[in-house]
Amino acid sequence: MAPKPLKKAFETALDQGAPAASFRLPENACLAIAFVWAAALLYGRRDLPEQLATVVRMIPPAWERWTFVHPGEHLADLVCAGLLFGAAWLAGRPIFRAFRLDGVGRGEELVFSLGLGSGFLSLLGLCLGLFGFFGPAQLRWALGLLGLAAGALNLRLPAGKPRPSPAGPAQGSRPVIVACALLLAGLVAIDFLAAMFPLVYYDSLVYHFALPKLYLLSHRMIPTPLNVYAGVPMNTEMLYAFGMAVGGEGAARLVPWGIGLTTLSAVILLARRYANLEGAMLAGVLLLSCPMFTEQPWQGLVEVNWVMFGLLAIYGLLAGSHEETGATPAGVLLAGTFCGLAIGVKYNAVSLPIILAALLVIQKIERGERGRRMFRDALVLVGVSLALAAPWIVRNVWFYRNPVFPFFDELFAGAPRGVDWRSLLADAHRRDLTTMFTTLSGLRDYFTNLWSGWENYNAIGVALVLMLPWLFLTRWARRPYRLLLAALGMAWVTWGLSSRMPRFFLFAVPWFSILAAGVLTSTHMSARAKRFLRVAILLGCCVDTVSILNDWYVMGGWQVVFGMRRKSVYLEGSEPFYPSPYYPAMTFINEKLPPDAKILFVWESRGYYCERPFVAASPHAPEPIARFVAQSRDGEDLLGRLRGAGITHVFFNYWEGDRKQRTPLFPDPRDLAVFQSFSSKHLRRVYDQQWPLPEPGTNPRWLQVYAIE
């Protein structure tokens, strides 16, 4: 075993530009393994020609209508989103400077500031919502005042001279860099156009966008105990609320797109610390060509924010580490802050501080530290993470008497009952550990599930999986790469044991991208091997881009962007992710009902497009009308309860009810009699629209709105 001084000198030499990796096997053996793996993967993508033909079919109609509809409106949305991110940067820059993290470049300061500022805005939105200052005008005033105050504070900050980020001296292959730049530009443009699609994804219409919209309509954050998602942390949803307040739906839809750009920039900057420009660009392309990352903004999902915070957490830890002393207090605190903000996006992110704490312990062990000092930094990181996530726990205790609502409601006295949180976990593809450990198929699924049979926003794509064998065939010498590999392995274990849903692994995809690009740019290999790897990566990225374009085409929203269909017509039809349309009834409610109307939804969970306050139950929760009826003695008592809740109208979506459930709304004859007594006297139909049968033997599309009298 090499003496410690010699080992330390060797590692220092590596960090100053010596090769960062080498192959574990002879180069030819590595190439043979990689070739067989690539052939098997590409053979599994026999649908590629069909997808390519689909994309080609899109070109003529899109070319004929290449101009945007209402380009001024899209520009206004972009400006409003820019103002939101500008306020986040102004707020985040002083916070970042307070950490006193040394050795960061200007670009790195920008992405760290955007991350911290967006987290600050989210927590500000939570406070404003809890204390009843959540109207659109109030949020605009809050954002404006924050921008002025943060701008004044920034003017007083010392200019500072951040050092440029450490990076390899060579640029790499110019043709590869140009190809990567073109792919990145194309994918960013595709993502931007898709962010303008009308919002149709179910989860977004039920809670990602619907709950912030309801809070804006109510001018405060309100309890919604029949929405199973109401108790999850909402850091991203608060940003959507600010976007809606500043610029409406368009600006809010651009929030995840902007977060994605920040994440892409952070990946390129972090990769550039340890590789040449070619490696940094390849890391960016590998990330952006991953379908489940790129398609996040299309659906209005929130995992992209978790990804950004998770990347900035490990970035802060690496940037704040010294070869001699390991992680600095500034790096630990910054990483803990971003971990806490990530937990504020989704409970699943609780694995992130565990992973980074383990990395800190590993670093301590490598340096020979033992005892309590070995765990000190890890405990600080976890403590900061929990402190930043705590406001959402407080919200849940305040609203639902359950810190982790809707989970474990039976353990907390006074917590709302009726929400089926176990079926929610099943719906999120919770891993069955018994099956995994006792059957061969379960064990195989654990290792292959990530790239087997998933599509759209749950597909990891081909390019990253092509590079998977190289992670095991490469012996990483430089410490940052080893830490990234360890973090990736722990992310796989924690994700795989908890869920089968690939997008819950998305937070680790940036780490995967940096490692995959590092294989090419940080390892001694022949020119032949470099050509093979470059072709493999770019070919995989092109295959994934075709898949992304195919999904882009299938969603159909591009027809609205290019003026081939009106938004209302698009939302009246059933599209992928958008069954049993409800939009025509929302148009009636928004245009015909008075501003003080409050709508009770029956057989419909999606409330986003409603411009009036509404009461709706999510999946895994009982219908509100059924609860009102069960609590009523007769029809008159039901009328009194509905009026006491401020409800003025009732909306029915019969086709959605048929799709979601086959059981009667009122299985108890007594409840049915109570409702019939009420409806015969106090419901007056004000809207009724039916469409032809979508398929023989199914219920028609039937929407009705009743006034309560």
Side-chain angles (χ1 to χ4, degrees), residues 307-366:
V307 175
M308 179 185 73
F309 289 140
L311 174 62
L312 292 177
I314 200 166
Y315 199 158
L317 198 61
L318 293 174
S321 295
H322 295 158
E323 179 62 32
E324 296 79 11
T325 59
T328 62
V332 172
L333 291 173
L334 186 61
T337 299
F338 282 119
C339 286
L341 294 174
I343 298 173
V345 174
K346 230 176 178 66
Y347 282 134
N348 308 63
V350 73
S351 63
L352 187 61
I354 296 173
I355 291 170
L356 296 196
L359 292 184
L360 287 171
V361 173
I362 291 171
Q363 283 186 311
K364 296 287 187 181
I365 293 174
E366 283 184 341

Side-chain angles (χ1 to χ4, degrees), residues 265-423:
S265 302
V267 162
I268 293 173
L269 289 167
L270 180 56
R272 188 71 177 97
R273 274 183 164 255
Y274 311 115
N276 56 24
L277 181 60
E278 178 187 357
M281 295 294 284
L282 284 171
V285 170
L286 284 165
L287 173 70
L288 205 55
S289 63
C290 174
M292 69 178 176
F293 178 81
T294 294
E295 297 187 23
Q296 282 272 315
W298 309 6
Q299 320 290 354
L301 297 174
V302 300
E303 281 83 3
V304 66
N305 207 15
W306 173 12
V307 175
M308 179 185 73
F309 289 140
L311 174 62
L312 292 177
I314 200 166
Y315 199 158
L317 198 61
L318 293 174
S321 295
H322 295 158
E323 179 62 32
E324 296 79 11
T325 59
T328 62
V332 172
L333 291 173
L334 186 61
T337 299
F338 282 119
C339 286
L341 294 174
I343 298 173
V345 174
K346 230 176 178 66
Y347 282 134
N348 308 63
V350 73
S351 63
L352 187 61
I354 296 173
I355 291 170
L356 296 196
L359 292 184
L360 287 171
V361 173
I362 291 171
Q363 283 186 311
K364 296 287 187 181
I365 293 174
E366 283 184 341
R367 287 174 169 77
E369 296 187 28
R370 296 293 184 271
R372 293 181 180 179
R373 294 183 58 188
M374 185 171 65
F375 299 101
R376 183 185 58 194
D377 288 347
L379 292 174
V380 169
L381 185 145
V382 171
V384 173
S385 302
L386 295 178
L388 266 294
W392 295 106
I393 304 300
V394 173
R395 184 275 312 261
N396 285 349
V397 173
W398 187 350
F399 280 178
Y400 308 111
R401 304 293 188 270
N402 176 354
V404 291
F405 177 84
F407 306 106
F408 309 109
D409 55 355
E410 64 275 8
L411 300 181
F412 300 96
R417 299 291 191 267
V419 170
D420 187 357
W421 59 269
R422 291 178 177 82
S423 66

Side-chain angles (χ1 to χ4, degrees), residues 55-114:
V55 173
V56 170
R57 285 197 300 271
M58 175 182 65
I59 295 175
W63 179 259
E64 292 174 4
R65 304 296 296 272
W66 62 273
T67 56
F68 289 153
V69 181
H70 309 304
E73 180 181 330
H74 298 317
L75 180 60
D77 293 338
L78 193 59
V79 169
C80 290
L83 290 174
L84 180 60
F85 280 96
W89 173 73
L90 288 173
R93 187 165 176 259
I95 300 173
F96 176 70
R97 286 289 186 91
F99 284 96
R100 301 184 182 276
L101 192 67
D102 296 327
V104 297
R106 297 186 186 277
E108 293 174 316
E109 184 183 78
L110 173 63
V111 295
F112 280 124
S113 299
L114 282 171

Side-chain angles (χ1 to χ4, degrees), residues 117-183:
S118 65
F120 179 84
L121 280 179
S122 298
L123 295 176
L124 174 64
L126 170 62
C127 293
L128 293 173
L130 289 177
F131 291 101
F133 299 97
F134 209 76
Q138 292 165 323
L139 289 190
R140 287 193 293 270
W141 272 104
L143 196 64
L145 292 174
L146 173 66
L148 291 174
L153 182 58
N154 273 275
L155 290 176
R156 301 184 62 181
L157 288 176
K161 295 181 180 179
R163 292 181 293 174
S165 304
Q171 299 299 301
S173 169
R174 184 173 294 274
V176 173
I177 293 171
V178 171
C180 289
L182 292 174
L183 271 172

Side-chain angles (χ1 to χ4, degrees), residues 54 58 190-191 193-202 204-205 253 291 294-301 456-457 547-561 565 567 569-571 573-578 609:
T54 300
M58 175 182 65
I190 289 169
D191 229 13
L193 292 174
M196 300 181 195
F197 290 1
L199 193 64
V200 295
Y201 183 64
Y202 193 86
S204 297
L205 297 176
R253 294 280 278 121
T294 294
E295 297 187 23
Q296 282 272 315
W298 309 6
Q299 320 290 354
L301 297 174
N456 310 115
Y457 57 88
S547 297
I548 290 168
L549 284 170
N550 179 74
D551 296 339
W552 200 81
Y553 173 83
V554 170
M555 284 191 68
W558 58 276
Q559 298 177 12
V560 178
V561 174
R565 295 172 73 184
K567 177 181 177 180
V569 174
Y570 175 79
L571 291 174
S574 185
E575 302 291 340
F577 313 111
Y578 183 63
Y609 286 114

